[in-house]
Amino acid sequence: MRNILITINDIKLKATLLDTDTADLIYEALPLEGNANLWGDEIYFHVPLACGEESDAREEVEVGDLAFWPVGSAFCIFFGKTPVSIDDKPRAYSPVNIFGKLEGDFEALKTVQSQSLIRVTKNQESE
């Protein structure tokens, strides 16, 4: 099982990666960093990776999902409703590749401001 650490300001979150091609691409590219963009309760940032839609790419996602948005080459963190949500669940603007899941409590993400520095690294504790 591969784990990553997401750091935004003083917030540190662990996540587990799935067994997908996108997860492989993300893991091999680590460390990644960028400035946060906010879209409802989604944080995303551009990453220098190219990956097409996987066969199970979708717009309906779950709270805590990590995804790659192929259209915008973005690393996405979903933690609540987005502007295109139909109910209380997050929804992506267009299909995304789900590649991981946040662990624990991530309510602190609601305090993240636009342009905050995000750093994603391999979680050395789990290796």
Side-chain angles (χ1 to χ4, degrees):
M1 190 178 312
R2 295 171 299 175
N3 296 296
I4 59 174
L5 184 64
I6 301 169
T7 305
I8 309 170
N9 302 324
D10 60 346
I11 301 167
K12 292 190 183 307
L13 298 170
K14 294 178 183 176
T16 301
L17 298 185
L18 303 173
D19 186 18
T20 67
D21 290 342
T22 301
D24 293 344
L25 181 70
I26 295 287
Y27 194 75
E28 291 306 314
L30 295 177
L32 293 168
E33 67 177 42
N35 292 332
N37 295 291
L38 306 176
W39 193 60
D41 285 345
E42 175 192 352
I43 296 169
Y44 68 96
F45 66 100
H46 176 77
V47 292
L49 301 172
C51 179
E53 285 183 20
E54 291 196 14
S55 60
D56 63 348
R58 59 190 181 271
E59 293 174 12
E60 284 83 23
V61 298
E62 299 293 329
V63 170
D65 278 349
L66 300 180
F68 180 78
W69 185 40
V71 173
S73 296
F75 184 113
C76 307
I77 305 167
F78 292 96
F79 59 98
K81 290 176 70 169
T82 64
V84 293
S85 289
I86 297 169
D87 51 27
D88 287 340
K89 293 173 82 174
R91 184 178 176 94
Y93 182 77
S94 61
V96 293
N97 299 337
I98 306 300
F99 67 84
K101 189 77 169 174
L102 290 174
E103 298 175 4
D105 181 12
F106 38 86
E107 278 295 310
L109 291 176
K110 293 185 183 288
T111 67
V112 172
Q113 307 247 333
S114 182
Q115 298 305 305
S116 295
L117 181 65
I118 301 174
R119 184 160 173 79
V120 183
T121 58
K122 294 177 181 176
N123 186 0
Q124 303 302 330
E125 293 175 9
S126 65
E127 294 181 355

